[in-house]
Amino acid sequence: EIEIMKTGAALALIGSAAAFAPAQTGKASTKLNAFEDELGAQPPLGFYDPLGMLNGDCSQERFDRLRYVEIKHGRIAMLAFLGQITTRGGLHLGGNIDYSGDSFDSFPNGIAALIGPDSIPTAGLVQIIALIGLLECGFM
């Protein structure tokens, strides 16, 4: 009876060990394998395109353009974060933001600068968005 229990326990251990063994899979062959050797493609994912932005038109030029845009937007996000923590820390530009005498530090920080009772006037927001659009389309 004890020997049967030991045999049953040993078989259960063998079965559970097989459940954690890595599955043998073949390497998928797709057109995206052309970018497996690019900088940033690393195991275990290799070339990772979660949104499928290179499906269909998989030229090197398109890949390079998407990489450039990704790096640019990452840098813009880092600058936005730096601007956020700088103004939250109390450091503002000196002088006035407009001819009516509103100083830079008279506006609140964060999302309150865009919406709320003390927010930047609509004409100011339109100018900011127009400048960003000009920089995005014309120079970057």
Side-chain angles (χ1 to χ4, degrees):
E1 194 172 291
I2 292 179
E3 196 167 311
I4 295 174
M5 288 176 55
K6 287 182 181 178
T7 305
L11 289 175
L13 285 173
I14 292 171
S16 65
F20 295 104
Q24 298 294 328
T25 59
K27 183 124 174 129
S29 176
T30 64
K31 289 180 8 180
L32 296 179
N33 285 342
F35 303 115
E36 284 293 325
D37 295 330
E38 290 290 336
L39 182 66
Q42 44 188 323
L45 296 176
F47 175 71
Y48 186 61
D49 184 19
L51 299 178
M53 300 205 47
L54 288 175
N55 290 348
D57 182 19
C58 290
S59 65
Q60 184 67 40
E61 293 81 25
R62 178 158 169 78
F63 177 81
D64 292 339
R65 172 70 180 150
L66 289 175
R67 174 167 279 181
Y68 169 77
V69 169
E70 180 181 10
I71 291 171
K72 177 182 73 167
H73 289 151
R75 290 175 179 163
I76 290 170
M78 288 186 273
L79 286 173
F81 176 76
L82 184 62
Q84 182 68 259
I85 62 171
T86 302
T87 56
R88 294 273 177 166
L91 184 63
H92 298 276
L93 295 174
N96 296 330
I97 196 169
D98 58 11
Y99 291 122
S100 65
D102 295 323
S103 63
F104 282 99
D105 58 357
S106 67
F107 295 104
N109 298 323
I111 193 72
L114 301 176
I115 57 174
D118 296 330
S119 65
I120 298 172
T122 306
L125 287 177
V126 169
Q127 290 175 12
I128 292 171
I129 292 171
L131 175 65
I132 292 170
L134 176 72
L135 290 174
E136 181 75 24
C137 293
F139 299 104
M140 295 184 174

